[in-house]
Amino acid sequence: MIDVTIENFEAEVVTASMTTPVLVDFWATWCGPCKTLVPTLEKLETEYAGRFTLAKVDVDANQQIAGMFGIRSVPTCVLMVGGRPVDGFMGAQTEGQVREFLDKHLPSAGELQAEAEVDEAQQMLESGDTQAALQKLAEALAADPANDDARFDYVRLLIATGGYEEAAGLLVEPLKRIPQALRFEALHQWLQCMQFVQQDERGNWPLEQFDAAIAQNKRDFDTRFAKAQVLAAEGQWTASMDELLEIILRDKEWNGQAARKLLVGILELLTPPKPKKQDAVPGKSAGGIELLGKGAGEQDAATALVNSYRRKLSMALN
């Protein structure tokens, strides 16, 4: 439990909630229901073992903070996640009611374990230990099968290391979802490119052989698409996308829009991932409690490349 004042509010509530949810309890010394609620909150903070942090704000001593949240009565609790309020409740609650509120928003123990193992896997990849990273991602997915970040990272690494059969199996469920899970469709497209190179004789063609065939017939879309798949499998993304654009410009509907689907998949794979923990942004809880904040991001080279080819695709389709 942390006592919050205006001096430590930014660090202990806003910044801290970027990594661990913070439940802010607005209370007053003269408030009887507040005294009833506090032991319940403290007990649950201990029981939940790090899944959230309890922060207490004395509204009489910290009227500026209370004003920021629009507090009109106490006790009022506000849950901060990612630097903004996501929900809250007013008045004394039973332990069961508070537990139900927390469970609606907090990650489970399995989810936390999976997130930690995904982070460890990333560190292992950065140090060059691919096999250990694969093992960690497998453990993360086993701990939390619903964790799409773990599934995505694991499948992506499996494809990159030649584990095509296992990758295909792990893609079955997300590819059945409606609406379509775009990032998993992107992995599916990339997997098909890798399998094409492995299974089709054209996977061993030098690029000059593709170019010679295309020079004989500009509308030989099958050869163009095969070349694009080989380029994608080799990680030559821009060259692959250029070839796919040539198909789209000549025949948007060829082979069930295969060229468009692969190009969209490549763009999704190239799109830089969003930060796991966002800077504080304007937000409002389900109870109407508001907090103002600002967030900004700069476009990097990868984002610029993706945006450039999105524009090219849009122009080709119109």
Side-chain angles (χ1 to χ4, degrees):
M1 182 186 71
I2 301 169
D3 288 315
V4 174
T5 64
I6 192 64
E7 286 77 18
N8 67 359
F9 171 78
E10 184 72 25
E12 299 292 355
V13 176
V14 178
T15 302
S17 72
M18 298 291 181
T19 53
T20 302
V22 177
L23 183 65
V24 186
D25 173 30
F26 291 90
W27 67 287
T29 55
W30 45 262
C31 170
C34 296
K35 297 175 183 178
T36 302
L37 180 62
V38 167
T40 298
L41 298 179
E42 293 178 345
K43 174 186 176 184
L44 290 176
E45 182 186 29
T46 301
E47 182 180 323
Y48 276 60
R51 289 169 60 191
F52 79 96
T53 299
L54 177 62
K56 292 171 56 62
V57 177
D58 182 338
V59 296
D60 291 330
N62 298 280
Q63 295 182 18
Q64 184 176 350
I65 300 177
M68 291 168 59
F69 284 84
I71 302 301
R72 295 178 176 82
S73 65
V74 290
T76 292
C77 289
V78 178
L79 184 65
M80 298 284 292
V81 179
R84 64 185 183 90
V86 296
D87 205 352
F89 61 83
M90 298 178 185
Q93 307 280 309
T94 66
E95 179 178 327
Q97 289 173 319
V98 178
R99 189 185 300 277
E100 181 179 356
F101 170 83
L102 292 171
D103 289 344
K104 182 170 65 174
H105 297 288
L106 300 183
S108 67
E111 289 171 333
L112 288 176
Q113 180 184 344
E115 289 177 8
E117 288 172 340
V118 168
D119 290 341
E120 287 184 44
Q122 182 59 42
Q123 295 171 9
M124 292 170 177
L125 274 178
E126 291 173 359
S127 66
D129 195 343
T130 303
Q131 289 304 313
L134 280 168
Q135 181 61 36
K136 272 295 173 187
L137 288 171
E139 292 171 1
L141 192 57
D144 181 16
N147 189 316
D148 278 353
D149 289 338
R151 184 180 296 269
F152 178 83
D153 290 347
Y154 187 32
V155 172
R156 186 167 189 160
L157 190 54
L158 282 169
I159 296 173
T161 54
Y164 305 147
E165 184 175 350
E166 186 175 358
L170 290 171
L171 285 173
V172 171
E173 185 276 325
L175 291 176
K176 292 180 179 178
R177 298 176 192 170
I178 299 175
Q180 185 181 68
L182 182 56
R183 61 174 170 169
F184 289 111
E185 173 60 24
L187 289 177
H188 175 61
Q189 291 288 334
W190 185 33
L191 176 59
Q192 287 184 316
C193 291
M194 304 298 278
Q195 291 173 322
F196 172 81
V197 169
Q198 184 183 57
Q199 298 168 4
D200 194 290
E201 65 176 19
R202 289 170 295 178
N204 295 316
W205 281 15
L207 294 181
E208 294 78 10
Q209 189 169 350
F210 285 108
D211 294 337
I214 294 169
Q216 295 294 319
N217 179 9
K218 299 290 187 182
R219 296 182 65 84
D220 184 354
F221 300 141
D222 189 59
T223 298
R224 281 189 185 275
F225 190 71
K227 179 185 177 184
Q229 287 183 294
V230 169
L231 289 167
E234 294 176 350
Q236 298 188 49
W237 304 113
T238 56
S240 178
M241 291 190 290
D242 287 339
E243 204 65 60
L244 294 167
L245 283 170
E246 290 294 331
I247 297 174
I248 296 169
L249 285 167
R250 290 173 169 82
D251 187 345
K252 301 178 181 64
E253 302 298 326
W254 175 77
N255 195 22
Q257 299 188 12
R260 181 193 63 79
K261 292 175 182 177
L262 177 52
L263 202 158
V264 168
I266 292 173
L267 289 173
E268 180 67 16
L269 291 173
L270 293 180
T271 299
K274 294 179 181 179
K276 291 185 178 180
K277 304 298 179 183
Q278 300 288 350
D279 291 334
V281 296
K284 179 183 289 187
S285 78
I289 303 168
E290 297 186 26
L291 176 68
L292 297 180
K294 295 181 180 179
E298 296 182 356
Q299 185 183 64
D300 58 14
T303 300
L305 175 66
V306 168
N307 288 342
S308 171
Y309 273 88
R310 288 195 193 281
R311 288 191 294 270
K312 290 179 181 181
L313 176 59
S314 179
M315 293 174 62
L317 291 172
N318 291 329

